[in-house]
Amino acid sequence: MQHMFSFEEGNKDMKDLLGGKGANLAEMMNLGLPVPPGFTITTDVCNFFSDAQTRTGHGDYPAGYTEQLEEKLQELERKMGKKLGDPENPLLVSVRSGAAISMPGMMDTILNLGLNDATVLGIVARTGNERFAYDAYRRFVNMFGDVVLGVAHEHFEEKMDLMKGARGVSADTELDAEDLRELVVMYKEVVRVHAGVEFPSDPREQLRMAIEAVFGSWMSERAVLYRRINHVPSGVRGTAVNIQSMVFGNMGETSGTGVAFTRNPSTGAAEFYGEFLMNAQGEDVVAGIRTPQSIEELGNVMPDVYAQLLGAKDALERHYGDMQDIEFTIENGRLFMLQTRNGKRTAHAAVKIAVDLVNEGLLTREEALMKIDANALNQLLHPRIDTGARRDVVTRGLPASPGAACGRIVFSPQDAEEWVARGEKVILVRRETTPEDLGGMHVAEGILTAMGGMTSHAAVVCRGMGKCCVAGCASISVDKHLKVCAIGDLLLREGDVITLDGSTGEVMLGEMPMIKSEISGDFFEVMRWTDDIRAMRVRANADTPHDAAIAREFGAEGIGLCRTEHMFFDEARIDTVREMILARDLPTRVIALGKLLPFQREDFYGIFKAMNGYPVCIRLLDPPLHEFMPQTDGKIAELAVRMRVPFEQLKLVTESLHEVNPMLGHRGCRLAVTFPEMYEMQVQAIIEAAILARKEGIVVMPEIEMPLISSTNELKMLRELALRVIRKFEAQHGTLDFAYKIGSMIELPRACLTADHLAEYADFFSFGTNDLTQTTWGISRDDVGKFMSEYLTQGVLERDPSETIDRRGVGELMRMGVEKARSAKPDIEIGICGEHGGEPASVEFCHSIGLNYVSCSPFRVPIARLAAAQAAIKDRDSRVHGGVIVMPATPRIPSVISG
Ligand code: ADP
Ligand code: MG
Ligand code: MG
């Protein structure tokens, strides 16, 4: 078995084995770009190592590993003409982790490995640059101490600050060789004190330890947390390790390092976007140690290198057909490429880039659609600060991740999580963020940092999360211990409310008015493409004419779930509902229902009007009646007075109606079987509203839906009930001039199992996956919340089944339901309602089992439209290739970079 691959042996399609970083380094090298040579240890080795660790308590390597490592190392030494540990001409390498999925900042990299008191002299002799040699050395001791030996970075930082103070300088570049040599000694002492070990001086030992640390970091708390937050299945393969010969950006003023995006990741504009720092190494640019220069400045500083970099940028974008996020280093005027990957971007940028790449002929529409993260569209649908509002701007930082956010300020990720758990909205304010802050960042509305640039940790992570971020707000000083921050002489305390505008970088006091966004421009264009491609229609769940109108704006093609009970909760109506509930005989009940009829008719009419030409699926009354009754004694007493009934009697009735979760008792269709008058009124209201709308030329397509059906006879009986009402109508007013449907919600396992029988009495089915999930799992929705996060952390479940359709249980029932229903009635229309209908992975599943439509909340309609198109494209592609994903041959681009 081959456990490691030279960069020459890999390519971009080997991500599973080589990790994203390794596969792309290989791809760049084979494209002819200047990549420092190296090799990649496969993810299989990491898995082997972690498995052994879980089993026996310590990691282990597969057979042949040690020999292959030695072989690859010697091959690298030959290529470079240097040897690891050779005091005359030492090879230095970086040890870089990289999993198949990109996990920014999660795994730690070690640079300059191979240095010790002897080899550093070799570097001095070879380069004639003593300062550089010791700068590399102190960085190595720091990184190795931190990543491998677990000594907190701040202990090294402390010594660095001491040294700067002693020399009276403010930047690390102002320290000279002698200072740095002293620092190395101090750093080693730090390691001795805090790790209790001598710093390892043997380079091969250093390498072994570094590789092990990378493998260990795969299961580190923060890596596990990142994977959990991003729903990475726990079965995903581990990380690869890249061993790469070093190039040095810290060799002086003709050296430097930088990061850049081939397009603007905030707006999507086709402009080179990035930062660089001269005389710097590795993460210096993103760490906010010194303020980096913007990338086009490089054109002035080093025109030739800049031209080369532009060439590489264009080649990479053409080659990958996507916006790239690249890392480079300049060593004594020579450019080296150190990383490329598809760049994280805001939804706004994703949409613009997709449209531009299609217009530039780089991608087909289908390819472009596949590159947009459907979930991220959420950002575009989120509110912005009302442009008309007066802005009380107290300071300004960098517009690092767009959108607007408002909340109470907190100063630690732990506080953020605590406050949010209490139901508060928070803004996390930090000097700068680190991967340890991830949990707090996840729950915060927005992030504000005092340090760091557009490529800082906070900025990159927020853009990925679609979270508003203002970074590098230099005028803020943060004291996390006192939980205060100062902006000039303004002092803000924990809990104070601020608003951030991530698109301008402005920070405002108090809560600003927000406005909703709309679909226009590039977003509209992309949405139009999805409509041509997808097989499923997308409807919305809407209970009011207002929501129905929003749904239409977002492109909903009908209503998949209109809940009638919401119409009853209205102040003006609820007492009439209660009269109906309390009625002790039929005539009293019919009178109360008669009062409700006009309200319902009016609501339905409004919704038909908003949905002109599209179907509206109306679910007849569903919840148990206790939900309409007052819950406290005080409220019951008030109602008793209003209704002139004795308190005791009212309390008794209320209690008798009470249902507890999962509320499978006397509700939904079951209520209608015992009290048919309720549904009769609702059907009448639907038909009358439709007739009214028809008179105005509106095209109505009502669908009458029975909830909670478990027995075929329930559906049969209620269908007859509805038809009876309609026929009575026709007898009085003549034949209806519109088509209507009568069907059933499928939300109980039994309904899935008997869908073929039910189909006889249904024109359509709609999966109610909320109740279906609860009843399949035997967990009520309230209970799910109580332990689901625990379940997810402990790996009992990979996904929260209330968020995404669980394919083994709920999904299997759905598949069976569809098959059975279509076996009895091939053209029966089947959809899904509930939030699953707007969740991309669930939408893909719905496509795969052949649903006709998905329905979700109006704000998720665009997400569902894109997800449905992506499902159709994937489906078609896998059919074309007979289920096997065939990778197109990689075109070789002639070396665009020379020298
Ligand atoms: P991350 O995954 O956190 O981006 P990287 O492995 O890319 O970590 O490395 C961290 C930093 O070190 C980056 O700035 C990268 O460009 C730099 N780096 C990595 N390998 C080398 C190398 N061989 N020579 C010079 N710089 C390197
Ligand atoms: Mg990197
Ligand atoms: Mg239900």
Side-chain angles (χ1 to χ4, degrees):
M1 246 253 271
Q2 194 171 351
H3 300 305
M4 48 206 86
F5 293 77
S6 309
F7 294 163
E8 288 83 350
E9 296 174 295
N11 66 58
K12 71 171 172 18
D13 301 324
M14 294 167 73
K15 279 203 175 79
D16 278 347
L17 198 59
L18 303 181
K21 199 180 284 168
N24 286 331
L25 280 167
E27 188 79 10
M28 282 202 291
M29 172 152 280
N30 291 320
L31 277 175
L33 293 172
V35 177
F39 60 92
T40 306
I41 304 174
T42 66
T43 53
D44 283 346
V45 178
C46 177
N47 283 345
F48 188 96
F49 186 91
S50 317
D51 286 349
Q53 195 154 39
T54 326
R55 266 197 333 269
T56 67
H58 55 89
D60 195 9
Y61 295 95
Y65 167 85
T66 319
E67 296 76 13
Q68 287 186 28
L69 182 61
E70 194 51 40
E71 226 171 82
K72 284 286 179 220
L73 201 56
Q74 286 177 18
E75 186 186 320
L76 184 61
E77 289 176 336
R78 269 196 308 280
K79 266 183 220 156
M80 303 307 296
K82 299 174 183 182
K83 278 195 155 71
L84 194 68
D86 178 359
E88 299 297 318
N89 190 13
L91 172 69
L92 301 188
V93 295
S94 63
V95 177
R96 319 172 64 186
S97 60
I101 45 145
S102 135
M103 295 173 61
M106 296 311 301
M107 304 287 183
D108 296 304
T109 289
I110 296 150
L111 302 179
N112 311 331
L113 187 138
L115 279 170
N116 57 32
D117 292 346
T119 54
V120 72
L121 296 175
I123 301 281
V124 174
R126 287 268 154 183
T127 60
N129 189 338
E130 197 178 7
R131 186 193 180 280
F132 153 71
Y134 282 97
D135 186 51
Y137 196 6
R138 64 95 187 168
R139 286 170 189 272
F140 171 54
V141 179
N142 183 342
M143 268 182 271
F144 193 92
D146 176 1
V147 176
V148 181
L149 303 172
V151 179
H153 176 65
E154 63 190 37
H155 297 307
F156 299 104
E157 203 54 34
E158 213 173 87
K159 301 289 176 208
M160 169 60 95
D161 288 343
L162 263 176
M163 180 59 80
K164 283 193 212 161
R167 298 291 176 269
V169 300
S170 59
D172 57 334
T173 43
E174 295 172 78
L175 296 176
D176 65 17
E178 190 50 41
D179 303 335
L180 295 166
R181 193 206 327 260
E182 253 177 67
L183 264 182
V184 170
V185 176
M186 290 158 83
Y187 278 10
K188 285 191 184 170
E189 179 61 24
V190 166
V191 167
R192 209 170 290 129
V193 170
H194 293 278
V197 293
E198 212 42 53
F199 192 83
S201 62
D202 173 11
R204 276 190 162 57
E205 174 73 359
Q206 293 170 354
L207 185 61
R208 191 191 59 73
M209 291 173 78
I211 292 170
E212 239 176 78
V214 172
F215 286 153
S217 76
W218 175 252
M219 296 309 288
S220 71
E221 223 170 277
R222 69 187 207 201
V224 172
L225 176 68
Y226 179 92
R227 293 199 288 274
R228 176 154 68 76
I229 288 176
N230 292 282
H231 298 305
V232 178
S234 61
V236 87
R237 299 161 78 121
T239 181
V241 183
N242 302 285
I243 316 283
Q244 186 176 29
S245 56
M246 284 299 303
V247 288
F248 299 101
N250 54 335
M251 275 203 157
E253 288 311 314
T254 55
S255 300
T257 179
V259 293
F261 292 86
T262 57
R263 290 172 197 243
N264 185 320
S266 259
T267 65
E271 63 199 15
F272 201 24
Y273 178 98
E275 290 163 329
F276 73 101
L277 257 184
M278 294 313 280
N279 198 9
Q281 188 175 48
E283 312 266 62
D284 289 2
V285 178
V286 292
I289 289 170
R290 279 179 275 146
T291 307
Q293 289 173 280
S294 123
I295 195 80
E296 58 289 353
E297 274 294 305
L298 188 62
N300 302 327
V301 183
M302 302 189 111
D304 292 347
V305 169
Y306 188 60
Q308 233 186 338
L309 186 61
L310 289 181
K313 164 195 94 121
D314 290 338
L316 286 172
E317 215 180 58
R318 259 201 321 278
H319 183 69
Y320 283 92
D322 202 357
M323 187 264 266
Q324 296 295 294
D325 169 357
I326 59 184
E327 289 175 8
F328 62 91
T329 279
I330 305 158
E331 179 182 300
N332 282 331
R334 270 183 74 188
L335 176 70
F336 291 93
M337 304 301 291
L338 289 172
Q339 193 171 338
T340 192
R341 60 184 165 208
N342 294 338
K344 290 218 186 291
R345 64 206 75 182
T346 63
H348 186 85
V351 163
K352 171 152 178 56
I353 290 170
V355 172
D356 285 355
L357 290 180
V358 169
N359 290 341
E360 291 167 27
L362 259 72
L363 296 180
T364 64
R365 286 178 181 183
E366 286 81 0
E367 286 167 335
L369 284 178
M370 291 310 288
K371 302 210 186 244
I372 304 175
D373 172 10
N375 264 322
L377 292 182
N378 223 344
Q379 285 176 45
L380 296 181
L381 305 163
H382 277 318
R384 289 170 290 126
I385 295 173
D386 188 344
T387 32
R390 206 181 65 82
R391 291 183 171 221
D392 187 5
V393 178
V394 287
T395 184
R396 194 183 292 266
L398 298 169
S401 181
C406 173
R408 297 183 181 282
I409 57 175
V410 292
F411 296 93
S412 78
Q414 294 76 21
D415 286 336
E417 293 190 69
E418 270 171 34
W419 283 62
V420 169
R422 290 206 300 266
E424 296 283 354
K425 291 182 168 188
V426 303
I427 304 278
L428 180 60
V429 182
R430 300 287 274 170
R431 189 160 172 272
E432 64 203 323
T433 63
T434 67
E436 273 82 34
D437 293 2
L438 222 54
M441 294 172 77
H442 191 61
V443 298
E445 298 293 306
I447 314 290
L448 172 62
T449 68
M451 306 279 291
M454 298 293 285
T455 52
S456 64
H457 179 265
V460 171
V461 170
C462 284
R463 286 199 292 270
M465 286 182 177
K467 191 151 288 189
C468 164
C469 175
V470 173
C473 196
S475 63
I476 297 190
S477 51
V478 182
D479 189 326
K480 66 179 177 199
H481 303 295
L482 292 178
K483 301 189 177 183
V484 294
C485 67
I487 308 168
D489 44 18
L490 179 74
L491 193 72
L492 294 179
R493 289 186 174 75
E494 183 179 55
D496 288 348
V497 176
I498 63 170
T499 300
L500 303 180
D501 186 337
S503 311
T504 63
E506 288 165 317
V507 181
M508 290 145 281
L509 282 189
E511 186 176 348
M512 301 287 294
M514 308 267 184
I515 46 168
K516 65 177 177 101
S517 50
E518 53 175 15
I519 301 186
S520 59
D522 292 331
F523 191 15
F524 183 83
E525 176 82 4
V526 162
M527 282 295 121
R528 214 170 42 83
W529 298 346
T530 69
D531 296 343
D532 296 341
I533 292 166
R534 64 197 154 82
M536 288 189 297
R537 290 184 305 282
V538 175
R539 298 194 192 183
N541 302 339
D543 302 342
T544 63
H546 173 78
D547 286 357
I550 295 178
R552 280 296 301 135
E553 276 173 40
F554 285 140
E557 300 159 298
I559 289 184
L561 177 62
C562 170
R563 284 166 292 212
T564 50
E565 54 272 13
H566 285 205
M567 302 170 179
F568 288 175
F569 286 117
D570 193 293
E571 284 288 325
R573 306 173 186 181
I574 186 111
D575 276 359
T576 319
V577 177
R578 289 165 176 164
E579 255 174 59
M580 184 269 296
I581 293 172
L582 293 171
R584 276 193 283 177
D585 50 35
L586 186 61
T588 326
R589 192 174 312 126
V590 170
I591 289 170
L593 282 168
K595 290 191 212 163
L596 286 172
L597 178 80
F599 292 130
Q600 291 245 293
R601 186 172 54 216
E602 190 188 318
D603 287 333
F604 294 144
Y605 163 79
I607 291 172
F608 287 140
K609 205 165 157 178
M611 278 290 150
N612 189 358
Y614 292 98
V616 176
C617 180
I618 299 168
R619 178 180 72 184
L620 302 186
L621 194 75
D622 179 58
L625 294 179
H626 83 256
E627 291 197 3
F628 300 102
M629 299 305 281
Q631 301 302 322
T632 62
D633 280 359
K635 289 271 191 289
I636 293 176
E638 272 175 39
L639 184 67
V641 173
R642 268 210 308 285
M643 299 217 142
R644 297 191 190 114
V645 288
F647 170 83
E648 286 307 325
Q649 185 196 334
L650 193 57
K651 186 160 161 80
L652 217 65
V653 173
T654 307
E655 277 170 0
S656 77
L657 292 170
H658 200 78
E659 298 267 341
V660 287
N661 255 324
M663 298 205 288
L664 294 170
H666 200 204
R667 61 171 274 217
C669 68
R670 297 164 191 179
L671 208 52
V673 170
T674 48
F675 300 110
E677 308 80 45
M678 180 75 221
Y679 277 17
E680 282 167 4
M681 180 278 282
Q682 291 197 297
V683 174
Q684 187 181 343
I686 292 169
I687 298 299
E688 286 180 5
I691 290 171
L692 265 174
R694 276 303 296 136
K695 286 203 180 115
E696 293 172 27
I698 292 162
V699 177
V700 291
M701 307 167 72
E703 300 177 350
I704 299 166
E705 182 179 47
M706 310 300 174
L708 219 73
I709 296 285
S710 59
S711 145
T712 313
N713 280 334
E714 288 167 338
L715 186 58
K716 178 167 184 256
M717 198 179 243
L718 294 175
R719 183 185 177 86
E720 275 160 14
L721 173 152
L723 287 173
R724 232 176 11 249
V725 175
I726 295 168
R727 285 208 201 93
K728 211 164 79 196
F729 234 94
E730 290 189 311
Q732 286 170 16
H733 305 273
T735 316
L736 300 179
D737 64 344
F738 57 87
Y740 59 86
K741 289 181 178 174
I742 300 171
S744 168
M745 189 86 125
I746 303 286
E747 52 189 334
L748 295 173
R750 193 176 193 284
C752 298
L753 297 169
T754 59
D756 44 351
H757 297 285
L758 289 175
E760 197 184 327
Y761 305 102
D763 306 316
F764 68 88
F765 284 150
S766 170
F767 285 104
T769 46
N770 291 354
D771 277 342
L772 187 57
T773 301
Q774 295 189 34
T775 49
T776 301
W777 280 85
I779 306 171
S780 78
R781 204 181 169 75
D782 298 351
D783 288 338
V784 165
K786 284 182 207 147
F787 61 78
M788 198 49 73
S789 69
E790 193 64 20
Y791 258 37
L792 293 171
T793 329
Q794 300 203 359
V796 177
L797 292 178
E798 271 167 11
R799 294 286 207 108
D800 177 350
S802 66
E803 230 168 66
T804 193
I805 292 174
D806 134 57
R807 299 193 181 197
R808 296 248 172 87
V810 177
E812 227 16 73
L813 283 169
M814 289 172 72
R815 185 194 306 281
M816 185 188 293
V818 171
E819 273 166 21
K820 282 183 177 282
R822 296 239 165 95
S823 73
K825 198 178 263 183
D827 55 356
I828 188 168
E829 178 172 62
I830 308 178
I832 175 180
C833 57
E835 276 314 292
H836 289 113
E839 190 273 322
S842 303
V843 171
E844 188 181 337
F845 178 75
C846 291
H847 174 95
S848 78
I849 60 170
L851 295 197
N852 300 96
Y853 69 84
V854 296
S855 185
C856 55
S857 77
F859 282 95
R860 294 197 75 86
V861 165
I863 296 170
R865 287 164 78 190
L866 176 56
Q870 289 174 335
I873 295 167
K874 268 199 211 167
D875 187 14
R876 194 203 52 195
D877 287 354
S878 71
R879 271 171 224 266
V880 169
H881 303 304
V884 182
I885 313 275
V886 179
M887 290 294 172
T890 309
R892 296 272 146 152
I893 297 184
S895 173
V896 280
I897 311 269
S898 48

